[in-house]
Amino acid sequence: MSNWDDLKFVLAVAKAGGLAKAARSLDVTHSTVSRRLSALEERMGTRLFERLPEGLTPTAAGEEAVTAAKRMEAEVLALDIRIAGQDAELEGPLRVTAAQLLFEVQLAEIMQKFAMRHPRIELEMIAANEHLSLHRREADVAIRVTDNPDESLFGRQACGQRRAFYMSRDFGRTFRETMSVSHDAGPLACVTFKWWGKGVPKELRARYPGAFVSLVSDDMIAKRAAVRAGMGIGRLPCFLGDPDPDLIRVPGLEPTRYLDIWALTLPELKNVARIRTFLRFAADAYKANSGLYMGD
């Protein structure tokens, strides 16, 4: 195997289980992956993958190639981290990942102010609702909403949060009579978040036994849009519900604690000047605006 880069294609196919997904992960075309894999198998004189209806599965030879590729990947990543950890200059690339919602609310503004202060640092936004791997160097810094940050990461708690129940102004007027009496059994629609459980939240059901789920959303921005459209009562982080002029809090239901916001990186990179400076800058910016997130 004269071209070590071929192992990168072997590993991508093994992880993806197919050519199309491997191509996306490598940012190349489907035909490129297929051509490189076929050429490698021809040069080595053996099949590395069985082509099955459900996808590609490594052969015995393929497993050996995948094992070697994983070792090389680990070594390259470790070398990259060790070299990056020696960087003491306030310049160079800095990749920040977070959910799109966080960029939309304050993080983009934080990055803009940071860029004005440190123009030699090349910032990159990576908006992703799924957690990208800092260990695999998919990003340098992650801003995450969590109560249990990965113990293998280093970070700063930026600020705490609360969440509350909101409704549109029109919804409040339409159901004013039902909502004016606690324990009213009248039907009352609510919008729920897939990742918080699909049933009616217990606090809402305790106050309004007739509450029912009208919609389940898997995205917080979409959920806010549904609440704003009058599809029901919805629980939202205070930073998302309070600033919206079309929404009001449901009376009688107090805000409750929500997950914290953390700024995280690899321990090996915590002393890299641009990363250390950004972590402190972002955490301070969130703390200064904590009233928005706590619903004060």
Side-chain angles (χ1 to χ4, degrees):
M1 186 175 292
S2 58
N3 187 354
W4 290 5
D5 195 48
D6 286 332
L7 281 175
K8 181 172 67 176
F9 284 79
V10 171
L11 184 57
V13 172
K15 288 180 177 179
L19 299 179
K21 191 173 179 181
R24 288 194 296 271
S25 71
L26 294 168
D27 197 24
V28 298
T29 63
H30 177 285
S31 59
T32 297
V33 179
S34 178
R35 184 176 65 253
R36 290 288 293 269
L37 184 58
S38 296
L40 176 60
E41 289 179 324
E42 185 175 343
R43 288 200 308 273
M44 298 187 73
T46 185
R47 276 187 174 274
L48 298 177
F49 292 90
E50 295 289 352
R51 277 69 169 172
L52 303 174
E54 59 271 19
L56 276 69
T57 301
T59 61
E63 290 286 2
E64 287 196 44
V66 170
T67 299
K70 287 180 177 178
R71 286 199 301 267
M72 293 181 67
E73 180 187 50
E75 287 293 331
V76 169
L77 289 172
L79 175 62
D80 184 39
I81 291 170
R82 288 196 301 272
I83 292 174
Q86 300 173 22
D87 196 339
E89 301 296 327
L90 279 171
E91 60 182 29
L94 178 62
R95 298 164 300 159
V96 180
T97 183
Q100 179 182 338
L101 177 57
L102 294 180
F103 282 115
E104 181 178 321
V105 173
Q106 187 183 4
L107 186 52
E109 179 185 336
I110 290 173
M111 294 181 71
Q112 183 271 335
K113 291 179 178 178
F114 185 79
M116 293 290 290
R117 186 172 297 187
H118 303 287
R120 294 169 64 189
I121 296 177
E122 306 154 20
L123 293 173
E124 180 181 348
M125 288 181 178
I126 308 175
N129 288 329
E130 71 278 6
H131 284 182
L132 299 187
S133 173
L134 299 184
H135 292 285
R136 293 178 56 81
R137 299 307 311 280
E138 293 175 340
D140 302 307
V141 171
I143 307 298
R144 289 182 179 160
V145 176
T146 179
D147 270 351
N148 298 295
D150 188 335
E151 292 183 357
S152 67
L153 298 177
F154 170 85
R156 294 172 175 268
Q157 182 183 356
C159 70
Q161 291 195 87
R162 290 182 187 167
R163 58 185 181 178
F165 288 97
Y166 296 88
M167 59 185 172
S168 70
R169 296 182 183 277
D170 286 343
F171 186 92
R173 283 190 289 267
T174 301
F175 294 94
R176 179 173 57 241
E177 187 172 330
T178 300
M179 300 177 67
S180 65
V181 181
S182 181
H183 303 298
D184 191 312
L188 200 63
C190 75
V191 178
T192 63
F193 189 46
K194 178 180 179 180
W195 313 112
W196 291 350
K198 297 181 181 180
V200 176
K202 61 182 181 180
E203 301 94 330
L204 189 61
R205 185 177 294 281
R207 186 171 180 83
Y208 303 112
F212 66 96
V213 176
S214 64
L215 177 76
V216 178
S217 173
D218 69 345
D219 179 81
M220 192 60 71
I221 297 177
K223 181 181 179 181
R224 180 182 62 176
V227 174
R228 188 192 291 134
M231 295 193 68
I233 295 170
R235 182 155 57 185
L236 300 169
C238 291
F239 78 81
L240 193 60
D242 284 343
D244 194 318
D246 294 325
L247 300 181
I248 55 175
R249 289 189 188 180
V250 176
L253 292 170
E254 295 300 315
T256 55
R257 186 182 178 282
Y258 185 40
L259 305 175
D260 298 331
I261 296 178
W262 286 78
L264 302 165
T265 190
L266 290 174
E268 298 89 341
L269 301 181
K270 67 180 181 181
N271 291 321
V272 174
R274 62 184 180 275
I275 293 176
R276 181 182 67 246
T277 304
F278 182 81
L279 288 176
R280 185 183 303 117
F281 187 90
D284 288 347
Y286 276 111
K287 283 184 171 65
N289 203 20
S290 62
L292 171 67
Y293 297 92
M294 295 299 289
D296 294 341

